[in-house]
Amino acid sequence: MSAKSQVAHAAGQVAMFPARAVEPLMSGLQRVLGIKRMPWVFLIPNLTAVVLFALLPVFINVFYSVSGSDRLFPWDRPFIGGANYQTLFDCTNYLDPATCSRDLFWRALGNTMVFVPVQVTVMITIALLTAVCLNREIRGRGFFRGIFFFPVMLSPVVVALTWQWILQRNGALNGLLSATGLPTLNWLVFPNTAFFWSVFVTVWAHMGFYTIILLAGLQSIPRDVYEAARMDSATPWRSFTRITLPLLKPVLLVVFILAVIRSVQTFDELYVLTGGGPGSATMLMVQYIYEVGFAAQPRNFGLAAAASLLLGLALLVFTAIQMRISRGGNND
Amino acid sequence: MTDLSMAKSGTSIRGFISRRRGRKGLHWTDWLTYAYLVFGLLVMFVPVLWVVVSSFKTPANLAEFPPTLVPFSSETIMVEGYDEPLPLFDVVTEDGDTVQLAQLRRVGIQAQMVDPANPDERIVVPIENATPVRKFYLAFENYSNLLSDTGGNIWRYVYNSLFITVVATLITLVMNAMAAFALSKYRFRGSNVALVSILATLMIPATVVLVPTYMIVAQLGLVANLWGVILPTVATPTGVFLLRQYMLTIPDELIEAARMDHASEWRIFWRIILPLSSPALAVVAIFSILSRWNDFLLPLVVLTERQSYTLQLALASFQTEYGIRYELLLAMTTLTALPLACAFIFLQRYITSGIASTGIK
């Protein structure tokens, strides 16, 4: 017996152990319930978890948003109607967060509404460019693909600390700048540069994911289409806009929706990189929810739930509109 | 999965792309492509490499600006009559010679030095004439200090992270596969409702239901308990979907034949369907491991006590606690990234093909 098959055999033995324990129970259940009810037996663990940690929370969240006090359990919380929403929307001038009773909510909302379009546009453009480059006949394609993809595997905390280390006052970036005679800057201390680097770092960390999806989309476009276009002496630019983009549209749409949903939920990297600062310059919606519901004392679960429901609603509307547009586009 | 070498479509952007013309060498667009890819290599890879290199620098070396490219440490020397080793300097004397002196102390722009061979005579040297004597040095002690300075707590964090990752992944695999089996190999009333309600959870971002999830975890008494992070994450809709699609391709005849032999349904699932689904299980496992190891927000909310911190939480909290002790922070960052970096080298093919075919992470 070779070493490999011995390992496989041992692994099989280990895998069989829980099965031996469960098997009598399951065949007993089968005898009692009959074969027709067995699918439910297989489904119930998963369904329980789904209901308990995904479906039920949505409804509980609605109740949180219309109840007050800092008590955690719903039965301890008095019903206060729309007061949480009123608090969030309590502004004298909606364009000026400083006039709102919850100015942080509006700042977070404003930041998110700038961050998401900018981040998604930059990220998809770069991912597409990279995918097109990686789809060419080049040496070391697998290597380069790996290089662009690997930050996706890094944890958000590692990503944030890495860039913090580079951007700090005595960091590598300033070292590089001063070596070339350029002025240095404390990058994460100023609102504008902190915002720029927030976008940069999140794009850096996630673009590889979208590059891989777009690359798969590019590879599924048949070669002969391009051959034909070349026969008709179409310019490279023309074959890109007239062949690649239209044929890539379904993939681009998926990438776009995924990117927006993830971008809206950005939290981990920025929480560690900037902590939402300086001030509230890089605080996005999810961090606001976290701050209000979990970091601040007393914890305001009602307000956090109301804010998160608005966020969920915005995502839902966005996805619905996108689906609608894509369906409309496919009909013509 | 399409082999990359098979796909030779020549998609184009003007200035960047057009197919390589024949074998006559590189077209100028090829040069641009390579330039872009090399630039990408620098931007994507060098930052991480920089952290790894920095993690081997001594605190004094880390504090230097501009930073040195490779880890250095200052040469020190024991001088007779002094208890501590003294830093060694190359000093240019007034007649232009270079001598090595040990520095006693700095006073303004002057430094008091001694010749190691003649420790009784003090020499005053202007500091612009002195440069520290340095040698290449990898500060492995950063890593051992990390272990001793955290009082062995780091093993606790590693254990917590490993436990969550391994247990959550195993439960995810078995539970999702069971559901997928029911939804692919049986016809029964309510199967569509079950499938839709599982897939509908795709639309519910975890961040949106953070408060009630925390409440349910608290109600189950699992705050600051590793199971409080494991249970909410095990029922992944994408896992069920992926496994179900795969199981649909397994012929039903296999199941019929097993039933003829009086195999119980569980036995069919465990001994026939599960082994046959191993490619799909591998993909689900990889994504589960990745997301559990890197998870941050849910642990941040649920694991409120230091004893239950995961590696990621500990790392994020070190940032404030050891704010000045960069060498420890960098060593721990490197250690946290290391397991996944190794996994990536071996599994890159599966991961990228998994993403390409499902769009999940």
Side-chain angles (χ1 to χ4, degrees):
Chain A
M1 217 202 257
S2 74
K4 205 167 184 180
S5 70
Q6 269 180 351
V7 170
H9 181 73
Q13 288 297 311
V14 174
M16 283 321 290
F17 182 74
R20 286 220 185 89
V22 176
E23 203 167 307
L25 175 79
M26 293 298 270
S27 46
L29 272 173
Q30 188 177 337
R31 237 170 287 131
V32 177
L33 297 170
I35 204 165
K36 282 203 163 161
R37 293 197 185 87
M38 279 313 281
W40 286 108
V41 175
F42 281 105
L43 264 176
I44 273 173
N46 205 77
L47 273 186
T48 315
V50 164
V51 170
L52 202 57
F53 291 109
L55 298 182
L56 202 57
V58 175
F59 297 103
I60 301 176
N61 217 14
V62 175
F63 178 73
Y64 269 111
S65 74
V66 292
S67 61
S69 89
D70 60 345
R71 308 297 292 270
L72 175 60
F73 294 107
W75 42 89
D76 298 333
R77 298 171 60 85
F79 180 80
I80 57 166
N84 284 324
Y85 294 95
Q86 253 166 22
T87 314
L88 285 182
F89 283 94
D90 179 17
C91 285
T92 38
N93 175 5
Y94 283 104
L95 292 177
D96 182 10
T99 64
C100 302
S101 78
R102 293 291 165 160
D103 60 323
L104 222 47
F105 172 76
W106 290 94
R107 286 184 207 280
L109 188 69
N111 288 342
T112 309
M113 280 165 70
V114 178
F115 180 84
V116 172
V118 171
Q119 198 247 6
V120 168
T121 314
V122 170
M123 185 161 65
I124 293 185
T125 309
I126 295 179
L128 185 61
L129 181 63
T130 311
V132 168
C133 284
L134 289 173
N135 195 35
R136 306 195 63 201
E137 277 179 84
I138 45 160
R139 281 176 198 281
R141 180 158 45 181
F143 169 74
F144 282 116
R145 193 183 48 163
I147 287 297
F148 280 97
F149 178 75
F150 93 96
V152 175
M153 309 260 305
L154 295 175
S155 85
V157 184
V158 169
V159 167
L161 289 178
T162 299
W163 282 99
Q164 207 175 45
W165 175 240
I166 287 167
L167 297 175
Q168 56 133 336
R169 201 158 51 84
N170 290 333
L173 182 67
N174 279 342
L176 210 63
L177 287 176
S178 75
T180 50
L182 293 166
T184 63
L185 201 61
N186 203 351
W187 298 101
L188 297 176
V189 170
F190 302 100
N192 286 337
T193 51
F195 196 83
F196 168 82
W197 285 106
S198 302
V199 172
F200 180 93
V201 170
T202 49
V203 167
W204 183 86
H206 298 296
M207 62 157 282
F209 178 76
Y210 302 98
T211 303
I212 295 295
I213 301 179
L214 288 171
L215 185 58
L218 285 176
Q219 287 174 353
S220 69
I221 299 175
R223 253 186 94 190
D224 5 342
V225 188
Y226 292 104
E227 296 292 339
R230 216 145 64 91
M231 295 289 181
D232 294 341
S233 56
T235 62
W237 175 250
R238 208 173 157 78
S239 64
F240 177 75
T241 50
R242 294 301 171 89
I243 300 174
T244 311
L245 279 184
L247 288 177
L248 205 59
K249 204 176 137 194
V251 181
L252 270 173
L253 182 78
V254 169
V255 163
F256 183 66
I257 292 179
L258 280 178
V260 170
I261 291 178
R262 296 245 177 89
S263 180
V264 170
Q265 295 186 65
T266 304
F267 170 74
D268 309 1
E269 287 98 352
L270 300 193
Y271 179 74
V272 180
L273 182 73
T274 65
S280 55
T282 57
M283 180 182 276
L284 302 187
M285 215 48 213
V286 172
Q287 195 186 342
Y288 175 76
I289 294 169
Y290 170 76
E291 299 284 347
V292 165
F294 295 94
Q297 290 298 340
R299 298 171 157 201
N300 197 332
F301 294 117
L303 219 51
S308 65
L309 271 180
L310 291 175
L311 182 72
L313 205 66
L315 277 180
L316 209 64
V317 170
F318 163 78
T319 315
I321 291 174
Q322 272 308 312
M323 293 298 194
R324 193 68 184 263
I325 289 173
S326 73
R327 203 173 297 153
N330 287 347
N331 284 346
D332 43 59
Chain B
M1 172 192 173
T2 347
D3 190 344
L4 282 170
S5 61
M6 297 288 288
K8 292 179 177 171
S9 51
T11 46
S12 318
I13 295 181
R14 175 168 47 183
F16 277 104
I17 284 87
S18 69
R19 283 161 44 70
R20 194 191 296 183
R21 324 274 169 165
R23 289 277 144 201
K24 289 179 199 156
L26 294 176
H27 190 249
W28 63 274
T29 54
D30 290 313
W31 288 110
L32 268 181
T33 307
Y34 280 116
Y36 174 78
L37 291 178
V38 169
F39 174 73
L41 171 76
L42 292 179
V43 175
M44 302 309 275
F45 192 63
V46 169
V48 176
L49 195 66
W50 180 245
V51 167
V52 176
V53 169
S54 301
S55 78
F56 287 104
K57 288 181 172 180
T58 59
N61 194 195
L62 283 175
E64 280 178 50
F65 185 83
T68 57
L69 271 184
V70 289
F72 279 121
S73 90
S74 299
E75 197 97 63
T76 56
I77 190 166
M78 285 302 292
V79 180
E80 223 178 296
Y82 300 95
D83 299 336
E84 297 282 311
L86 299 173
L88 205 56
F89 282 80
D90 272 330
V91 177
V92 181
T93 57
E94 278 147 16
D95 20 314
D97 296 341
T98 305
V99 290
Q100 285 200 342
L101 299 178
Q103 179 180 282
L104 295 176
R105 67 180 68 84
R106 241 184 87 174
V107 186
I109 56 159
Q110 295 199 313
Q112 285 191 2
M113 302 212 174
V114 289
D115 188 344
N118 182 13
D120 298 329
E121 186 192 347
R122 294 194 178 182
I123 308 162
V124 176
V125 179
I127 51 163
E128 73 253 27
N129 288 355
T131 42
V133 179
R134 301 201 294 187
K135 60 170 191 279
F136 176 72
Y137 176 74
L138 292 176
F140 282 103
E141 68 266 23
N142 291 346
Y143 288 85
S144 48
N145 287 346
L146 182 63
L147 294 182
S148 55
D149 285 27
T150 55
N153 263 345
I154 184 124
W155 293 117
R156 182 90 224 162
Y157 309 139
V158 171
Y159 168 80
N160 289 345
S161 275
L162 273 179
F163 183 83
I164 289 171
T165 307
V166 171
V167 173
T169 300
L170 286 178
I171 297 180
T172 300
L173 286 179
V174 173
M175 236 169 68
N176 288 3
M178 281 167 71
F181 176 58
L183 293 171
S184 62
K185 292 298 169 199
Y186 294 94
R187 287 159 195 274
F188 60 101
R189 277 170 60 96
S191 68
N192 278 335
V193 177
L195 182 63
V196 168
S197 56
I198 289 173
L199 291 186
T201 59
L202 267 176
M203 302 293 299
I204 308 169
T207 47
V208 171
V209 292
L210 195 60
V211 174
T213 305
Y214 175 76
M215 189 276 286
I216 291 171
V217 168
Q219 178 63 22
L220 294 172
L222 296 178
V223 171
N225 186 319
L226 299 184
W227 286 97
V229 183
I230 293 173
L231 292 183
T233 54
V234 287
T236 58
T238 43
V240 175
F241 181 70
L242 206 70
L243 287 164
R244 174 179 177 270
Q245 295 309 98
Y246 195 86
M247 286 178 188
L248 284 174
T249 65
I250 298 172
D252 288 345
E253 287 79 6
L254 283 174
I255 298 175
E256 297 302 327
R259 283 200 185 121
M260 296 283 193
D261 294 340
H262 302 287
S264 72
E265 297 302 300
W266 175 260
R267 213 178 162 77
I268 292 171
F269 165 69
W270 195 264
R271 308 214 61 167
I272 297 173
I273 300 296
L274 218 47
L276 286 175
S277 311
S278 43
L281 286 172
V283 173
V284 176
I286 289 169
F287 287 114
S288 170
I289 290 170
L290 261 183
S291 50
R292 292 293 79 75
W293 183 266
N294 291 341
D295 210 357
F296 187 69
L297 183 55
L298 187 66
L300 181 67
V301 168
V302 171
L303 303 178
T304 48
E305 275 159 38
R306 191 154 268 286
Q307 276 296 303
S308 58
Y309 271 14
T310 62
L311 216 41
Q312 311 294 343
L313 286 184
L315 190 56
S317 71
F318 273 21
Q319 181 204 6
T320 42
E321 285 162 34
Y322 292 120
I324 304 144
R325 304 201 60 181
Y326 273 119
E327 78 278 10
L328 296 188
L329 189 66
L330 289 163
M332 189 161 173
T333 309
T334 308
L335 275 184
T336 311
L338 201 64
L340 284 184
C342 295
F344 174 67
I345 292 168
F346 294 110
L347 300 174
Q348 190 203 350
R349 240 187 136 66
Y350 297 98
I351 297 167
T352 50
S353 69
I355 289 177
S357 58
T358 61
I360 62 164
K361 183 173 140 190

